[in-house]
Amino acid sequence: MEEILQRNINTITTLEIAGMMEISHRDVLNKLQGTVDKNGNIKQTGIIPVLTKANFRLSDYFIPSTYKDTSGKENKCYNVTKLGCDFLANKFTGEKGILFTARYVKRFDEMEQKIKNPFNLPATYKEALIQLLEQVEKNEQLEEERKTLLPKSDYHDKVLNKKGLITTTVIAKDLGFRSAARLNQVMYLNRILFKDKSGTWCPYAGYEWLLKKGFADYQSYKNEKSKPCLKWTEKGRKWIVENYNQWVNNLTA
């Protein structure tokens, strides 16, 4: 039993083979088992009956197995070794045979490499560097997904409502600008912000909700005589970044 399980590591199923050949699973089974007409006469000689008759050990090539279809019904299939795939490839000529050979050879090579290097350890410094970069990228992607999947209440508490206000200049740099001038201009032309007589940026009446809903606030400098400055919460920063491109499109439409 242990021998068979070990040998099964290097097999693919007849279902996979059908997919590689882009034919039905029944067609693959017919090649293996053969077919007979309604009178019991052999229409197509199968590979398995020939091997069995010649006393070859069938498990070196084809190992009987089963699978469940979408309805839950159990159906017959085979686990096929590389030798078995060689037999099948010879049964299919033309383009299908060529493509199947290319695909199963590649598939078995991948399995052999996995057995030789089960932990996918890099063999060279270059491979190690590439693997490290891929892992860093994967970690960053997972972190973004984690933020997306956070319950709304957690995200609101931990991110959008964190303490501290952000200047328009900082948000402008998030968008790739050196200063806040261009961002303020775009919001002004979209009638989101305007400058009052004191030179302070303020929301137009239609956007006063930015202050009421915690997207923005005024913060004075330490000097009491200094004028207030409109700044943004993390929620406001996110809103600006997400809508900036649409505001620009509004101006060019």
Side-chain angles (χ1 to χ4, degrees):
M1 181 66 176
E2 184 178 350
E3 180 188 355
I4 292 177
L5 288 175
Q6 182 64 33
R7 192 159 57 246
N8 279 355
I9 292 175
N10 278 342
T11 63
I12 59 176
T13 69
T14 44
L15 291 166
E16 292 177 87
I17 290 171
M20 290 178 178
M21 291 188 178
E22 299 178 351
I23 60 176
S24 72
H25 186 230
R26 172 50 53 190
D27 287 340
V28 178
L29 293 181
N30 287 343
K31 292 290 184 183
L32 293 179
Q33 300 173 152
T35 57
V36 296
D37 60 23
K38 60 183 179 181
N39 298 318
N41 299 315
I42 296 175
K43 293 174 59 180
Q44 175 181 304
T45 302
I47 296 172
I48 289 176
V50 173
L51 290 175
T52 303
K53 185 177 180 180
N55 293 322
F56 281 89
R57 187 169 66 177
L58 193 61
S59 60
D60 285 341
Y61 308 92
F62 309 101
I63 304 165
S65 185
T66 59
Y67 73 96
K68 289 185 178 180
D69 59 24
T70 53
S71 68
K73 180 185 176 184
E74 196 168 80
N75 299 287
K76 187 174 184 178
C77 70
Y78 288 89
N79 292 326
V80 185
T81 67
K82 191 172 183 180
L83 285 174
C85 286
D86 291 339
F87 270 110
L88 274 171
N90 289 328
K91 281 284 187 178
F92 289 90
T93 58
E95 185 176 332
K96 286 189 183 297
I98 294 171
L99 292 177
F100 171 55
T101 300
R103 287 165 181 162
Y104 86 76
V105 167
K106 184 173 184 294
R107 181 77 174 88
F108 276 96
D109 181 66
E110 289 171 352
M111 288 192 287
E112 288 170 7
Q113 293 301 322
K114 189 172 183 179
I115 292 172
K116 291 177 182 177
N117 187 7
F119 300 105
N120 196 28
L121 298 175
T124 64
Y125 175 77
K126 181 179 179 181
E127 288 180 3
L129 184 59
I130 292 173
Q131 195 174 96
L132 176 61
L133 292 174
E134 288 176 347
Q135 187 60 48
V136 169
E137 184 177 349
K138 184 178 178 181
N139 290 344
E140 290 176 348
Q141 183 178 350
L142 288 173
E143 177 62 17
E144 287 302 313
E145 290 175 357
R146 186 190 69 80
K147 290 178 181 178
T148 303
L149 294 174
L150 273 176
K152 289 185 178 180
S153 59
D154 285 357
Y155 185 70
H156 187 273
D157 293 340
K158 295 178 181 178
V159 180
L160 299 184
N161 270 353
K162 70 181 184 181
K163 294 180 180 179
L165 293 174
I166 306 167
T167 65
T168 308
T169 301
V170 169
I171 300 173
K173 288 181 178 180
D174 287 344
L175 294 168
F177 308 132
R178 292 183 179 180
S179 69
R182 178 175 173 80
L183 178 54
N184 281 329
Q185 183 70 5
V186 169
M187 287 194 285
Y188 169 71
L189 293 173
N190 277 272
R191 298 189 64 78
I192 299 169
L193 301 180
F194 70 95
K195 265 189 179 181
D196 66 9
K197 293 180 180 180
S198 68
T200 300
W201 286 101
C202 307
Y204 274 99
Y207 284 90
E208 286 183 351
W209 58 265
L210 290 170
L211 299 172
K212 295 176 182 178
K213 294 187 177 182
F215 283 71
D217 203 347
Y218 289 104
Q219 188 177 71
S220 298
Y221 294 100
K222 291 183 179 180
N223 187 338
E224 293 181 1
K225 294 182 179 180
S226 297
K227 63 184 180 182
C229 176
L230 183 68
K231 292 187 179 181
W232 304 89
T233 63
E234 181 64 24
K235 185 163 59 174
R237 183 203 67 79
K238 182 174 180 290
W239 175 74
I240 291 173
V241 172
E242 289 178 347
N243 288 280
Y244 177 78
N245 288 335
Q246 182 59 50
W247 297 337
V248 173
N249 291 337
N250 292 343
L251 300 178
T252 58

